[in-house]
Amino acid sequence: PILLQARLLLLDFCPQNLTNLAWALATLSVSDVPLLTAIASAAIIRIKDFGPQNLSNTAWSYSTLVVADLPLLSAISSSAVGRISE
């Protein structure tokens, strides 16, 4: 029930909330693929608002859960490459 409720609210989440949710799932080893897919979709929409810590923690979360969401990973890497000079 709480995961379903979170899925319904994801579009209202800020980058920190999205990152925290992905991190919590990874820390607890909860691989809810529909929820992770929904988090990824919401994150891609807001990727330009993600800070370096959000980018790295989100990537860590998906890799820890062995969930290869290629559009999300591409968005994270594109955003990170664009910030290397910062």
Side-chain angles (χ1 to χ4, degrees), residues 30-65:
V30 175
S31 189
D32 183 319
V33 174
L35 179 56
L36 289 163
T37 300
I39 293 168
S41 296
I44 290 168
I45 291 168
R46 292 180 175 74
I47 202 74
K48 65 178 176 40
D49 299 324
F50 275 51
Q53 191 72 48
N54 298 128
L55 294 171
S56 63
N57 286 355
T58 302
W60 175 87
S61 299
Y62 280 75
S63 67
T64 297
L65 290 170

PDB file of all heavy atoms in Angstrom, residues 30-65:
ATOM      1  N   VAL A  30      14.762  -3.760  -1.647  1.00  0.00           N
ATOM      2  CA  VAL A  30      13.401  -3.893  -2.173  1.00  0.00           C
ATOM      3  C   VAL A  30      13.443  -3.540  -3.651  1.00  0.00           C
ATOM      4  O   VAL A  30      13.552  -2.379  -4.022  1.00  0.00           O
ATOM      5  CB  VAL A  30      12.407  -2.965  -1.433  1.00  0.00           C
ATOM      6  CG1 VAL A  30      11.027  -3.032  -2.068  1.00  0.00           C
ATOM      7  CG2 VAL A  30      12.347  -3.324   0.045  1.00  0.00           C
ATOM      8  N   SER A  31      13.357  -4.555  -4.480  1.00  0.00           N
ATOM      9  CA  SER A  31      13.444  -4.350  -5.922  1.00  0.00           C
ATOM     10  C   SER A  31      12.039  -4.371  -6.527  1.00  0.00           C
ATOM     11  O   SER A  31      11.651  -5.316  -7.205  1.00  0.00           O
ATOM     12  CB  SER A  31      14.328  -5.422  -6.553  1.00  0.00           C
ATOM     13  OG  SER A  31      14.568  -5.113  -7.896  1.00  0.00           O
ATOM     14  N   ASP A  32      11.279  -3.321  -6.273  1.00  0.00           N
ATOM     15  CA  ASP A  32       9.931  -3.172  -6.817  1.00  0.00           C
ATOM     16  C   ASP A  32      10.072  -2.508  -8.187  1.00  0.00           C
ATOM     17  O   ASP A  32      10.135  -1.286  -8.294  1.00  0.00           O
ATOM     18  CB  ASP A  32       9.091  -2.318  -5.857  1.00  0.00           C
ATOM     19  CG  ASP A  32       7.649  -2.161  -6.304  1.00  0.00           C
ATOM     20  OD1 ASP A  32       7.407  -1.969  -7.511  1.00  0.00           O
ATOM     21  OD2 ASP A  32       6.770  -2.207  -5.436  1.00  0.00           O
ATOM     22  N   VAL A  33      10.147  -3.321  -9.229  1.00  0.00           N
ATOM     23  CA  VAL A  33      10.458  -2.812 -10.566  1.00  0.00           C
ATOM     24  C   VAL A  33       9.420  -1.792 -11.054  1.00  0.00           C
ATOM     25  O   VAL A  33       9.808  -0.754 -11.600  1.00  0.00           O
ATOM     26  CB  VAL A  33      10.666  -3.963 -11.571  1.00  0.00           C
ATOM     27  CG1 VAL A  33      10.853  -3.432 -12.982  1.00  0.00           C
ATOM     28  CG2 VAL A  33      11.883  -4.786 -11.151  1.00  0.00           C
ATOM     29  N   PRO A  34       8.120  -2.004 -10.864  1.00  0.00           N
ATOM     30  CA  PRO A  34       7.179  -0.959 -11.300  1.00  0.00           C
ATOM     31  C   PRO A  34       7.423   0.384 -10.592  1.00  0.00           C
ATOM     32  O   PRO A  34       7.358   1.447 -11.220  1.00  0.00           O
ATOM     33  CB  PRO A  34       5.807  -1.528 -10.959  1.00  0.00           C
ATOM     34  CG  PRO A  34       6.010  -3.011 -10.966  1.00  0.00           C
ATOM     35  CD  PRO A  34       7.415  -3.216 -10.432  1.00  0.00           C
ATOM     36  N   LEU A  35       7.718   0.331  -9.305  1.00  0.00           N
ATOM     37  CA  LEU A  35       8.001   1.575  -8.577  1.00  0.00           C
ATOM     38  C   LEU A  35       9.310   2.184  -9.060  1.00  0.00           C
ATOM     39  O   LEU A  35       9.394   3.396  -9.282  1.00  0.00           O
ATOM     40  CB  LEU A  35       8.041   1.328  -7.067  1.00  0.00           C
ATOM     41  CG  LEU A  35       8.365   2.552  -6.200  1.00  0.00           C
ATOM     42  CD1 LEU A  35       7.389   3.698  -6.466  1.00  0.00           C
ATOM     43  CD2 LEU A  35       8.375   2.167  -4.727  1.00  0.00           C
ATOM     44  N   LEU A  36      10.327   1.382  -9.253  1.00  0.00           N
ATOM     45  CA  LEU A  36      11.618   1.897  -9.736  1.00  0.00           C
ATOM     46  C   LEU A  36      11.491   2.485 -11.136  1.00  0.00           C
ATOM     47  O   LEU A  36      12.127   3.488 -11.451  1.00  0.00           O
ATOM     48  CB  LEU A  36      12.672   0.796  -9.700  1.00  0.00           C
ATOM     49  CG  LEU A  36      13.112   0.410  -8.287  1.00  0.00           C
ATOM     50  CD1 LEU A  36      13.825  -0.934  -8.302  1.00  0.00           C
ATOM     51  CD2 LEU A  36      13.993   1.484  -7.687  1.00  0.00           C
ATOM     52  N   THR A  37      10.658   1.889 -11.961  1.00  0.00           N
ATOM     53  CA  THR A  37      10.411   2.430 -13.300  1.00  0.00           C
ATOM     54  C   THR A  37       9.712   3.780 -13.202  1.00  0.00           C
ATOM     55  O   THR A  37      10.052   4.719 -13.931  1.00  0.00           O
ATOM     56  CB  THR A  37       9.576   1.440 -14.134  1.00  0.00           C
ATOM     57  OG1 THR A  37      10.300   0.212 -14.235  1.00  0.00           O
ATOM     58  CG2 THR A  37       9.287   1.978 -15.523  1.00  0.00           C
ATOM     59  N   ALA A  38       8.760   3.887 -12.295  1.00  0.00           N
ATOM     60  CA  ALA A  38       8.053   5.155 -12.095  1.00  0.00           C
ATOM     61  C   ALA A  38       8.994   6.226 -11.532  1.00  0.00           C
ATOM     62  O   ALA A  38       8.931   7.394 -11.950  1.00  0.00           O
ATOM     63  CB  ALA A  38       6.859   4.944 -11.167  1.00  0.00           C
ATOM     64  N   ILE A  39       9.865   5.846 -10.603  1.00  0.00           N
ATOM     65  CA  ILE A  39      10.856   6.785 -10.065  1.00  0.00           C
ATOM     66  C   ILE A  39      11.760   7.263 -11.194  1.00  0.00           C
ATOM     67  O   ILE A  39      12.043   8.457 -11.315  1.00  0.00           O
ATOM     68  CB  ILE A  39      11.699   6.138  -8.938  1.00  0.00           C
ATOM     69  CG1 ILE A  39      10.842   5.843  -7.713  1.00  0.00           C
ATOM     70  CG2 ILE A  39      12.878   7.043  -8.562  1.00  0.00           C
ATOM     71  CD1 ILE A  39      11.529   4.954  -6.682  1.00  0.00           C
ATOM     72  N   ALA A  40      12.205   6.330 -12.028  1.00  0.00           N
ATOM     73  CA  ALA A  40      13.085   6.682 -13.142  1.00  0.00           C
ATOM     74  C   ALA A  40      12.408   7.670 -14.085  1.00  0.00           C
ATOM     75  O   ALA A  40      13.018   8.664 -14.507  1.00  0.00           O
ATOM     76  CB  ALA A  40      13.500   5.428 -13.897  1.00  0.00           C
ATOM     77  N   SER A  41      11.163   7.431 -14.405  1.00  0.00           N
ATOM     78  CA  SER A  41      10.431   8.339 -15.297  1.00  0.00           C
ATOM     79  C   SER A  41      10.319   9.734 -14.702  1.00  0.00           C
ATOM     80  O   SER A  41      10.530  10.737 -15.400  1.00  0.00           O
ATOM     81  CB  SER A  41       9.030   7.785 -15.586  1.00  0.00           C
ATOM     82  OG  SER A  41       9.116   6.575 -16.290  1.00  0.00           O
ATOM     83  N   ALA A  42      10.002   9.805 -13.420  1.00  0.00           N
ATOM     84  CA  ALA A  42       9.895  11.111 -12.749  1.00  0.00           C
ATOM     85  C   ALA A  42      11.264  11.782 -12.665  1.00  0.00           C
ATOM     86  O   ALA A  42      11.379  13.001 -12.823  1.00  0.00           O
ATOM     87  CB  ALA A  42       9.292  10.935 -11.357  1.00  0.00           C
ATOM     88  N   ALA A  43      12.306  10.994 -12.426  1.00  0.00           N
ATOM     89  CA  ALA A  43      13.662  11.549 -12.324  1.00  0.00           C
ATOM     90  C   ALA A  43      14.125  12.116 -13.663  1.00  0.00           C
ATOM     91  O   ALA A  43      14.742  13.186 -13.710  1.00  0.00           O
ATOM     92  CB  ALA A  43      14.633  10.479 -11.832  1.00  0.00           C
ATOM     93  N   ILE A  44      13.837  11.409 -14.740  1.00  0.00           N
ATOM     94  CA  ILE A  44      14.254  11.884 -16.068  1.00  0.00           C
ATOM     95  C   ILE A  44      13.633  13.249 -16.358  1.00  0.00           C
ATOM     96  O   ILE A  44      14.299  14.138 -16.889  1.00  0.00           O
ATOM     97  CB  ILE A  44      13.900  10.840 -17.148  1.00  0.00           C
ATOM     98  CG1 ILE A  44      14.794   9.615 -16.989  1.00  0.00           C
ATOM     99  CG2 ILE A  44      14.027  11.438 -18.543  1.00  0.00           C
ATOM    100  CD1 ILE A  44      14.353   8.418 -17.806  1.00  0.00           C
ATOM    101  N   ILE A  45      12.391  13.420 -15.986  1.00  0.00           N
ATOM    102  CA  ILE A  45      11.706  14.697 -16.202  1.00  0.00           C
ATOM    103  C   ILE A  45      12.419  15.834 -15.471  1.00  0.00           C
ATOM    104  O   ILE A  45      12.505  16.954 -15.969  1.00  0.00           O
ATOM    105  CB  ILE A  45      10.235  14.608 -15.741  1.00  0.00           C
ATOM    106  CG1 ILE A  45       9.457  13.676 -16.672  1.00  0.00           C
ATOM    107  CG2 ILE A  45       9.585  15.985 -15.683  1.00  0.00           C
ATOM    108  CD1 ILE A  45       8.084  13.300 -16.151  1.00  0.00           C
ATOM    109  N   ARG A  46      12.973  15.537 -14.289  1.00  0.00           N
ATOM    110  CA  ARG A  46      13.594  16.569 -13.441  1.00  0.00           C
ATOM    111  C   ARG A  46      15.124  16.497 -13.408  1.00  0.00           C
ATOM    112  O   ARG A  46      15.740  17.135 -12.569  1.00  0.00           O
ATOM    113  CB  ARG A  46      13.080  16.411 -12.018  1.00  0.00           C
ATOM    114  CG  ARG A  46      11.639  16.743 -11.873  1.00  0.00           C
ATOM    115  CD  ARG A  46      11.210  16.551 -10.430  1.00  0.00           C
ATOM    116  NE  ARG A  46       9.845  16.977 -10.255  1.00  0.00           N
ATOM    117  CZ  ARG A  46       8.789  16.297 -10.683  1.00  0.00           C
ATOM    118  NH1 ARG A  46       8.942  15.161 -11.308  1.00  0.00           N
ATOM    119  NH2 ARG A  46       7.574  16.757 -10.478  1.00  0.00           N
ATOM    120  N   ILE A  47      15.724  15.736 -14.295  1.00  0.00           N
ATOM    121  CA  ILE A  47      17.164  15.462 -14.194  1.00  0.00           C
ATOM    122  C   ILE A  47      17.993  16.745 -14.164  1.00  0.00           C
ATOM    123  O   ILE A  47      19.028  16.801 -13.506  1.00  0.00           O
ATOM    124  CB  ILE A  47      17.629  14.489 -15.309  1.00  0.00           C
ATOM    125  CG1 ILE A  47      18.925  13.789 -14.902  1.00  0.00           C
ATOM    126  CG2 ILE A  47      17.769  15.199 -16.641  1.00  0.00           C
ATOM    127  CD1 ILE A  47      18.786  12.738 -13.869  1.00  0.00           C
ATOM    128  N   LYS A  48      17.558  17.788 -14.829  1.00  0.00           N
ATOM    129  CA  LYS A  48      18.333  19.038 -14.830  1.00  0.00           C
ATOM    130  C   LYS A  48      18.355  19.688 -13.449  1.00  0.00           C
ATOM    131  O   LYS A  48      19.230  20.499 -13.163  1.00  0.00           O
ATOM    132  CB  LYS A  48      17.794  20.012 -15.872  1.00  0.00           C
ATOM    133  CG  LYS A  48      16.398  20.514 -15.609  1.00  0.00           C
ATOM    134  CD  LYS A  48      15.968  21.508 -16.670  1.00  0.00           C
ATOM    135  CE  LYS A  48      14.560  21.986 -16.531  1.00  0.00           C
ATOM    136  NZ  LYS A  48      14.049  22.268 -15.228  1.00  0.00           N
ATOM    137  N   ASP A  49      17.427  19.312 -12.586  1.00  0.00           N
ATOM    138  CA  ASP A  49      17.370  19.859 -11.229  1.00  0.00           C
ATOM    139  C   ASP A  49      18.138  19.018 -10.215  1.00  0.00           C
ATOM    140  O   ASP A  49      18.250  19.401  -9.057  1.00  0.00           O
ATOM    141  CB  ASP A  49      15.913  19.982 -10.774  1.00  0.00           C
ATOM    142  CG  ASP A  49      15.105  20.900 -11.660  1.00  0.00           C
ATOM    143  OD1 ASP A  49      15.664  21.910 -12.136  1.00  0.00           O
ATOM    144  OD2 ASP A  49      13.913  20.611 -11.900  1.00  0.00           O
ATOM    145  N   PHE A  50      18.648  17.868 -10.640  1.00  0.00           N
ATOM    146  CA  PHE A  50      19.395  16.988  -9.743  1.00  0.00           C
ATOM    147  C   PHE A  50      20.793  17.551  -9.517  1.00  0.00           C
ATOM    148  O   PHE A  50      21.474  17.936 -10.466  1.00  0.00           O
ATOM    149  CB  PHE A  50      19.530  15.591 -10.352  1.00  0.00           C
ATOM    150  CG  PHE A  50      18.376  14.670 -10.100  1.00  0.00           C
ATOM    151  CD1 PHE A  50      17.077  15.066 -10.372  1.00  0.00           C
ATOM    152  CD2 PHE A  50      18.585  13.399  -9.607  1.00  0.00           C
ATOM    153  CE1 PHE A  50      16.008  14.212 -10.154  1.00  0.00           C
ATOM    154  CE2 PHE A  50      17.525  12.535  -9.383  1.00  0.00           C
ATOM    155  CZ  PHE A  50      16.229  12.945  -9.648  1.00  0.00           C
ATOM    156  N   GLY A  51      21.209  17.591  -8.271  1.00  0.00           N
ATOM    157  CA  GLY A  51      22.573  17.964  -7.942  1.00  0.00           C
ATOM    158  C   GLY A  51      23.483  16.751  -8.086  1.00  0.00           C
ATOM    159  O   GLY A  51      23.007  15.622  -8.270  1.00  0.00           O
ATOM    160  N   PRO A  52      24.791  16.957  -7.979  1.00  0.00           N
ATOM    161  CA  PRO A  52      25.731  15.837  -8.105  1.00  0.00           C
ATOM    162  C   PRO A  52      25.447  14.691  -7.127  1.00  0.00           C
ATOM    163  O   PRO A  52      25.539  13.514  -7.499  1.00  0.00           O
ATOM    164  CB  PRO A  52      27.097  16.478  -7.827  1.00  0.00           C
ATOM    165  CG  PRO A  52      26.905  17.916  -8.175  1.00  0.00           C
ATOM    166  CD  PRO A  52      25.483  18.228  -7.821  1.00  0.00           C
ATOM    167  N   GLN A  53      25.092  15.021  -5.899  1.00  0.00           N
ATOM    168  CA  GLN A  53      24.798  13.968  -4.912  1.00  0.00           C
ATOM    169  C   GLN A  53      23.553  13.192  -5.302  1.00  0.00           C
ATOM    170  O   GLN A  53      23.506  11.966  -5.162  1.00  0.00           O
ATOM    171  CB  GLN A  53      24.631  14.587  -3.519  1.00  0.00           C
ATOM    172  CG  GLN A  53      24.583  13.563  -2.408  1.00  0.00           C
ATOM    173  CD  GLN A  53      25.942  12.944  -2.155  1.00  0.00           C
ATOM    174  OE1 GLN A  53      26.927  13.644  -2.034  1.00  0.00           O
ATOM    175  NE2 GLN A  53      25.998  11.629  -2.082  1.00  0.00           N
ATOM    176  N   ASN A  54      22.533  13.889  -5.813  1.00  0.00           N
ATOM    177  CA  ASN A  54      21.323  13.199  -6.273  1.00  0.00           C
ATOM    178  C   ASN A  54      21.648  12.253  -7.422  1.00  0.00           C
ATOM    179  O   ASN A  54      21.160  11.118  -7.459  1.00  0.00           O
ATOM    180  CB  ASN A  54      20.261  14.197  -6.744  1.00  0.00           C
ATOM    181  CG  ASN A  54      19.784  15.138  -5.676  1.00  0.00           C
ATOM    182  OD1 ASN A  54      19.796  16.347  -5.882  1.00  0.00           O
ATOM    183  ND2 ASN A  54      19.355  14.630  -4.538  1.00  0.00           N
ATOM    184  N   LEU A  55      22.467  12.714  -8.361  1.00  0.00           N
ATOM    185  CA  LEU A  55      22.838  11.880  -9.503  1.00  0.00           C
ATOM    186  C   LEU A  55      23.574  10.624  -9.044  1.00  0.00           C
ATOM    187  O   LEU A  55      23.239   9.503  -9.453  1.00  0.00           O
ATOM    188  CB  LEU A  55      23.720  12.668 -10.484  1.00  0.00           C
ATOM    189  CG  LEU A  55      23.057  13.841 -11.200  1.00  0.00           C
ATOM    190  CD1 LEU A  55      24.106  14.641 -11.961  1.00  0.00           C
ATOM    191  CD2 LEU A  55      21.947  13.378 -12.118  1.00  0.00           C
ATOM    192  N   SER A  56      24.566  10.804  -8.187  1.00  0.00           N
ATOM    193  CA  SER A  56      25.364   9.649  -7.764  1.00  0.00           C
ATOM    194  C   SER A  56      24.556   8.698  -6.889  1.00  0.00           C
ATOM    195  O   SER A  56      24.664   7.472  -7.037  1.00  0.00           O
ATOM    196  CB  SER A  56      26.641  10.092  -7.053  1.00  0.00           C
ATOM    197  OG  SER A  56      26.349  10.785  -5.868  1.00  0.00           O
ATOM    198  N   ASN A  57      23.733   9.216  -5.998  1.00  0.00           N
ATOM    199  CA  ASN A  57      22.941   8.331  -5.138  1.00  0.00           C
ATOM    200  C   ASN A  57      21.883   7.565  -5.926  1.00  0.00           C
ATOM    201  O   ASN A  57      21.597   6.402  -5.627  1.00  0.00           O
ATOM    202  CB  ASN A  57      22.281   9.125  -4.010  1.00  0.00           C
ATOM    203  CG  ASN A  57      23.260   9.535  -2.938  1.00  0.00           C
ATOM    204  OD1 ASN A  57      24.426   9.169  -2.966  1.00  0.00           O
ATOM    205  ND2 ASN A  57      22.805  10.336  -2.002  1.00  0.00           N
ATOM    206  N   THR A  58      21.310   8.212  -6.924  1.00  0.00           N
ATOM    207  CA  THR A  58      20.322   7.526  -7.755  1.00  0.00           C
ATOM    208  C   THR A  58      21.000   6.413  -8.557  1.00  0.00           C
ATOM    209  O   THR A  58      20.497   5.280  -8.620  1.00  0.00           O
ATOM    210  CB  THR A  58      19.597   8.521  -8.680  1.00  0.00           C
ATOM    211  OG1 THR A  58      18.963   9.527  -7.866  1.00  0.00           O
ATOM    212  CG2 THR A  58      18.546   7.824  -9.521  1.00  0.00           C
ATOM    213  N   ALA A  59      22.141   6.711  -9.156  1.00  0.00           N
ATOM    214  CA  ALA A  59      22.884   5.687  -9.897  1.00  0.00           C
ATOM    215  C   ALA A  59      23.268   4.535  -8.970  1.00  0.00           C
ATOM    216  O   ALA A  59      23.136   3.355  -9.334  1.00  0.00           O
ATOM    217  CB  ALA A  59      24.121   6.298 -10.543  1.00  0.00           C
ATOM    218  N   TRP A  60      23.740   4.863  -7.774  1.00  0.00           N
ATOM    219  CA  TRP A  60      24.109   3.834  -6.804  1.00  0.00           C
ATOM    220  C   TRP A  60      22.913   2.944  -6.475  1.00  0.00           C
ATOM    221  O   TRP A  60      23.031   1.713  -6.417  1.00  0.00           O
ATOM    222  CB  TRP A  60      24.663   4.462  -5.525  1.00  0.00           C
ATOM    223  CG  TRP A  60      24.941   3.451  -4.460  1.00  0.00           C
ATOM    224  CD1 TRP A  60      26.084   2.741  -4.291  1.00  0.00           C
ATOM    225  CD2 TRP A  60      24.035   3.013  -3.430  1.00  0.00           C
ATOM    226  NE1 TRP A  60      25.945   1.878  -3.222  1.00  0.00           N
ATOM    227  CE2 TRP A  60      24.703   2.035  -2.680  1.00  0.00           C
ATOM    228  CE3 TRP A  60      22.730   3.355  -3.074  1.00  0.00           C
ATOM    229  CZ2 TRP A  60      24.106   1.389  -1.597  1.00  0.00           C
ATOM    230  CZ3 TRP A  60      22.137   2.717  -1.996  1.00  0.00           C
ATOM    231  CH2 TRP A  60      22.829   1.749  -1.274  1.00  0.00           C
ATOM    232  N   SER A  61      21.770   3.561  -6.270  1.00  0.00           N
ATOM    233  CA  SER A  61      20.569   2.812  -5.890  1.00  0.00           C
ATOM    234  C   SER A  61      20.187   1.793  -6.954  1.00  0.00           C
ATOM    235  O   SER A  61      19.930   0.622  -6.645  1.00  0.00           O
ATOM    236  CB  SER A  61      19.401   3.772  -5.650  1.00  0.00           C
ATOM    237  OG  SER A  61      19.699   4.657  -4.597  1.00  0.00           O
ATOM    238  N   TYR A  62      20.155   2.228  -8.201  1.00  0.00           N
ATOM    239  CA  TYR A  62      19.774   1.312  -9.278  1.00  0.00           C
ATOM    240  C   TYR A  62      20.830   0.225  -9.487  1.00  0.00           C
ATOM    241  O   TYR A  62      20.481  -0.931  -9.742  1.00  0.00           O
ATOM    242  CB  TYR A  62      19.488   2.086 -10.572  1.00  0.00           C
ATOM    243  CG  TYR A  62      18.101   2.705 -10.541  1.00  0.00           C
ATOM    244  CD1 TYR A  62      17.836   3.837  -9.767  1.00  0.00           C
ATOM    245  CD2 TYR A  62      17.050   2.142 -11.246  1.00  0.00           C
ATOM    246  CE1 TYR A  62      16.576   4.382  -9.704  1.00  0.00           C
ATOM    247  CE2 TYR A  62      15.771   2.683 -11.191  1.00  0.00           C
ATOM    248  CZ  TYR A  62      15.544   3.801 -10.418  1.00  0.00           C
ATOM    249  OH  TYR A  62      14.278   4.343 -10.352  1.00  0.00           O
ATOM    250  N   SER A  63      22.089   0.584  -9.368  1.00  0.00           N
ATOM    251  CA  SER A  63      23.127  -0.442  -9.540  1.00  0.00           C
ATOM    252  C   SER A  63      23.108  -1.441  -8.388  1.00  0.00           C
ATOM    253  O   SER A  63      23.314  -2.639  -8.596  1.00  0.00           O
ATOM    254  CB  SER A  63      24.506   0.192  -9.693  1.00  0.00           C
ATOM    255  OG  SER A  63      24.915   0.825  -8.509  1.00  0.00           O
ATOM    256  N   THR A  64      22.845  -0.972  -7.180  1.00  0.00           N
ATOM    257  CA  THR A  64      22.764  -1.864  -6.018  1.00  0.00           C
ATOM    258  C   THR A  64      21.627  -2.867  -6.183  1.00  0.00           C
ATOM    259  O   THR A  64      21.770  -4.038  -5.829  1.00  0.00           O
ATOM    260  CB  THR A  64      22.585  -1.045  -4.729  1.00  0.00           C
ATOM    261  OG1 THR A  64      23.747  -0.233  -4.553  1.00  0.00           O
ATOM    262  CG2 THR A  64      22.382  -1.926  -3.511  1.00  0.00           C
ATOM    263  N   LEU A  65      20.517  -2.407  -6.754  1.00  0.00           N
ATOM    264  CA  LEU A  65      19.373  -3.290  -6.969  1.00  0.00           C
ATOM    265  C   LEU A  65      19.477  -4.069  -8.276  1.00  0.00           C
ATOM    266  O   LEU A  65      18.606  -4.884  -8.587  1.00  0.00           O
ATOM    267  CB  LEU A  65      18.077  -2.466  -6.962  1.00  0.00           C
ATOM    268  CG  LEU A  65      17.694  -1.896  -5.598  1.00  0.00           C
ATOM    269  CD1 LEU A  65      16.554  -0.899  -5.745  1.00  0.00           C
ATOM    270  CD2 LEU A  65      17.316  -3.012  -4.625  1.00  0.00           C
TER     271      LEU A  65
END
